[in-house]
Amino acid sequence: MTIPRILVVDDDQDVRQMVTQFLRQNGAMALPAGTEADVRKHLDGGRVDLILLDVMLGDENGLEICARLRSEQDVPIIMVSALSADHQRMEGYEVGADDYIAKPFNPDLLLARVKAVLSRARRSSSLVHRRNTKTFEFHGWVYNAKRGEVLSPAGIQVTLSRRELALLQTLVANPHIPLTRDEIAAALDVTGDTGQTADATGRAIDVLVGRLRSKIEKNPKDPQILRTERGVGYVFSADVTVQDQ
């Protein structure tokens, strides 16, 4: 697995050095930065897999930096701050942060959060990459992604909405892989910029899954293709044959 390149952005040199050294000791390539200009030099100079971004950067505002970066690219960002009130955390999420951790923090907790965000980012990227193949066959069904056509085992074309097609394509490209609702939402970009809560996103995915089941399952109340994975989310349990036509 590729060694993660993590940008540690803090105007306190001691904190920056401590976090950088800790991450290096735990297998990351940690790069120090003290200003937005430093951040952009690193981003222009090579791959960055994650940014640890302090909220208070002397004369600069980490939230504003996060918002600018998020408008330009999708590198994962964890905000780090001594401000830990709920509304302050929400400000971080609202400008596009992937996570928010309060100072002072346990280094092991920081490492766990870093690993979790990196894992989600890699998985989301993988989901998008793996769903770009043209034609999928499963249980006698044929889905032609290029034309957006779905044929039943009887050869009858079944009409799916744009979002149902996107869900089907994500699932057939990742058979037998349990996917969380958040992973599915990220792959579909269901929430976009609407500001829906995690609960609302989860309900939207559940409704969408129910609609897809009603069209591809013999008995939607006892699904055999698109199953619920208890404690996780959903899994496409059918074997899938892929063609690049």
Side-chain angles (χ1 to χ4, degrees):
M1 183 177 291
T2 304
I3 296 175
R5 292 169 58 91
I6 301 174
L7 203 53
V8 180
V9 189
D10 198 303
D11 65 329
D12 186 318
Q13 183 175 353
D14 291 337
V15 172
R16 193 166 65 235
Q17 183 175 352
M18 177 193 70
V19 175
T20 299
Q21 183 176 357
F22 174 74
L23 292 173
R24 288 173 178 171
Q25 290 171 344
N26 284 275
M29 183 180 293
L31 310 167
T35 65
E36 181 175 3
D38 292 339
V39 171
R40 294 190 176 279
K41 286 179 182 178
H42 283 294
L43 290 172
D44 291 340
R47 188 190 87 245
V48 174
D49 298 305
L50 185 144
I51 299 175
L52 287 176
L53 178 58
D54 192 47
V55 171
M56 306 300 291
L57 287 173
D59 295 333
E60 297 183 311
N61 186 308
L63 293 173
E64 294 176 359
I65 294 173
C66 180
R68 285 192 288 271
L69 292 175
R70 183 55 70 234
S71 70
E72 301 166 5
Q73 53 191 292
D74 58 1
V75 59
I77 299 172
I78 298 178
M79 301 301 301
V80 182
S81 175
L83 307 175
S84 59
D86 287 345
H87 74 277
Q88 291 159 337
R89 290 175 178 270
M90 285 305 299
E91 287 179 346
Y93 293 125
E94 287 170 358
V95 296
D98 295 86
D99 203 348
Y100 189 109
I101 187 167
K103 293 180 178 180
F105 50 78
N106 181 313
D108 290 333
L109 173 62
L110 173 66
L111 183 62
R113 302 283 273 276
V114 164
K115 288 180 177 179
V117 171
L118 284 171
S119 178
R120 288 198 301 269
R122 287 177 181 138
R123 192 166 170 103
S124 177
S125 175
S126 180
L127 289 177
V128 172
H129 172 74
R130 289 201 302 264
R131 70 180 189 176
N132 286 330
T133 317
K134 299 297 187 295
T135 303
F136 306 85
E137 298 181 8
F138 60 95
H139 277 210
W141 289 80
V142 178
Y143 169 45
N144 186 306
K146 185 176 182 179
R147 295 197 296 264
E149 293 179 354
V150 179
L151 297 179
S152 73
I156 299 172
Q157 185 167 334
V158 177
T159 301
L160 271 64
S161 70
R162 177 184 59 81
R163 190 163 292 181
E164 290 164 357
L165 285 170
L167 173 60
L168 178 62
Q169 188 165 339
T170 296
L171 294 168
V172 296
N174 299 276
H176 306 294
I177 300 175
L179 303 176
T180 68
R181 291 168 176 82
D182 286 343
E183 287 175 330
I184 294 172
L188 300 181
D189 193 23
V190 167
T191 56
D193 295 324
T194 61
Q196 294 186 55
T197 65
D199 287 343
T201 299
R203 288 194 297 272
I205 294 300
D206 291 341
V207 170
L208 185 58
V209 166
R211 293 207 309 259
L212 181 58
R213 280 173 170 167
S214 71
K215 297 181 179 181
I216 67 171
E217 295 278 5
K218 289 184 178 179
N219 180 2
K221 294 183 179 179
D222 183 25
Q224 300 301 306
I225 299 175
L226 178 45
R227 299 179 182 234
T228 299
E229 186 78 2
R230 189 177 300 276
V232 181
Y234 297 101
V235 60
F236 197 82
S237 60
D239 291 332
V240 178
T241 301
V242 179
Q243 298 179 3
D244 288 320
Q245 67 176 28

